[in-house]
Amino acid sequence: MLEIFFELHEDLAQQGPGSDEYTRKAFSLTQPLSPKSRILDLGCGPGRQTIELAKLSKGEIHAVDNHKPYIEELRIRTMKARVTEKIKTHVGSMDDLNFAEESFDLIWSEGAIYSIGFEKGLKLWRRFLKPGCYIAVTEVSWLKSDLPEELRNYWNVAYPDIGSIGDNIRRVEQAEFELAATLTLPASTWWDGYYTQILERMEVLNKKYADDETARKVFDEEKREIEMFRRYSDYYSYVFYIAKRPL
Ligand SMILES: C[S@@+](CC[C@H](N)C(=O)[O-])C[C@H]1O[C@@H](n2cnc3c(N)ncnc32)[C@H](O)[C@@H]1O
């Protein structure tokens, strides 16, 4: 099952909603950043945002993901973008990090913290950030409160911890950060570069796996996720939470 999932996702430019434009907008809210900054990008995937961060900053970036093929894709991309020296890659888990405490000037994570839990991740990562520095993390969040039942039922299974922006701001504060800003990703950042690519890839793989029941299940799940977004994108999106570790 996992193999089919990865075949569907391999070589995509990005592995979740997001865009370079929004990475840049969020980055502008984390200034000033020292010229010798050390940035930690957690759940980097194939590194769309890692490369953008390398273009935006002068120091070094440590990119961590537990799926080795994504790290390999990222390494190839760093060469193409000529930023290899700035990016150190690590295959490892974001809940078992071996970096020195207070050694980063910025912690970044797009579309990945949900896999260990938003509040848990914030609490775990805080120690690696220097006091007075920022964390910028995206988390899927409710944008409205009058949720259609079908949508609520879907997310109750997919990610029961999903909360409103207010809930997530409270979680940020529970983890002892001071919120600086939130930034909601528009629906275009889910379609361009992500869902549209998956739908195109599925079209090809549909033929290859026409009689494969496991593949059908994986594809049906993806199609359901995408259909939910097509119908209800006004109700939820990824939101950047940009917050400072107090001095
Ligand atoms: C939705 S993708 C987002 C990837 C990338 N940030 C992007 O926006 O394109 C989530 C990423 O988190 C990684 N991941 C999931 N659980 C992880 C863990 N425990 N430790 C490290 N990486 C993890 C996955 O391999 C995947 O690359």
Side-chain angles (χ1 to χ4, degrees), residues 4-232:
I4 308 265
F5 174 86
F6 282 124
E7 189 172 350
L8 186 58
H9 283 252
E10 76 187 355
D11 293 330
L12 297 185
Q14 57 195 69
Q15 290 297 338
S19 73
D20 290 348
E21 182 192 353
Y22 273 79
T23 298
R24 285 196 293 274
K25 280 191 183 172
F27 184 80
S28 72
L29 299 168
T30 64
Q31 303 304 305
L33 192 65
S34 97
K36 291 198 171 164
S37 62
R38 291 181 87 234
I39 301 176
L40 181 58
D41 180 13
L42 296 166
C44 60
R48 179 204 49 80
Q49 73 294 317
T50 325
I51 304 268
E52 196 56 26
L53 289 170
K55 291 179 186 163
L56 291 166
S57 60
K58 294 206 170 68
E60 67 180 26
I61 302 176
H62 290 260
V64 179
D65 203 283
N66 64 358
H67 187 56
K68 199 169 170 218
Y70 288 160
I71 291 288
E72 283 160 3
E73 282 178 38
L74 168 57
R75 285 160 102 102
I76 292 167
R77 287 186 187 182
T78 62
M79 285 186 251
K80 287 189 184 152
R82 299 178 189 274
V83 288
T84 312
E85 284 100 78
K86 291 173 94 173
I87 299 177
K88 317 273 175 249
T89 55
H90 307 265
V91 178
S93 186
M94 58 172 105
D95 60 0
D96 184 24
L97 299 169
N98 278 317
F99 298 105
E101 295 202 357
E102 301 187 5
S103 61
F104 287 97
D105 302 273
L106 177 62
I107 295 182
W108 203 270
S109 184
E110 290 196 39
I113 196 170
Y114 74 91
S115 66
I116 58 169
F118 186 59
E119 192 172 329
K120 180 184 166 192
L122 291 173
K123 285 181 175 164
L124 266 178
W125 300 347
R126 186 180 187 275
R127 74 187 62 138
F128 301 108
L129 192 62
K130 293 178 190 167
C133 290
Y134 287 95
I135 186 164
V137 180
T138 64
E139 169 77 342
V140 70
S141 311
W142 295 127
L143 305 179
K144 291 184 175 191
S145 52
D146 56 332
L147 303 171
E149 201 184 335
E150 180 187 36
L151 181 65
R152 190 187 288 279
N153 290 341
Y154 172 80
W155 279 96
N156 269 342
V157 176
Y159 186 50
D161 276 351
I162 182 173
S164 65
I165 295 179
D167 293 333
N168 288 327
I169 291 174
R170 277 188 286 282
R171 291 167 179 160
V172 166
E173 289 165 354
Q174 286 287 336
E176 295 179 56
F177 286 99
E178 282 170 5
L179 185 83
T182 63
L183 184 62
T184 302
L185 298 190
S188 59
T189 66
W190 293 65
W191 292 115
D192 308 343
Y194 189 51
Y195 280 164
T196 307
Q197 316 297 321
I198 291 180
L199 288 170
E200 281 172 9
R201 177 73 53 82
M202 223 179 317
E203 192 78 18
V204 176
L205 292 181
N206 258 331
K207 289 178 194 131
K208 177 171 171 190
Y209 289 110
D211 303 319
D212 186 317
E213 201 158 316
T214 311
R216 301 251 55 89
K217 262 193 194 158
V218 174
F219 299 163
D220 286 349
E221 262 176 43
E222 293 268 346
K223 277 193 257 174
R224 179 136 190 267
E225 180 189 322
I226 296 172
E227 192 47 33
M228 281 293 139
F229 192 71
R230 194 189 302 283
R231 275 194 256 168
Y232 299 119

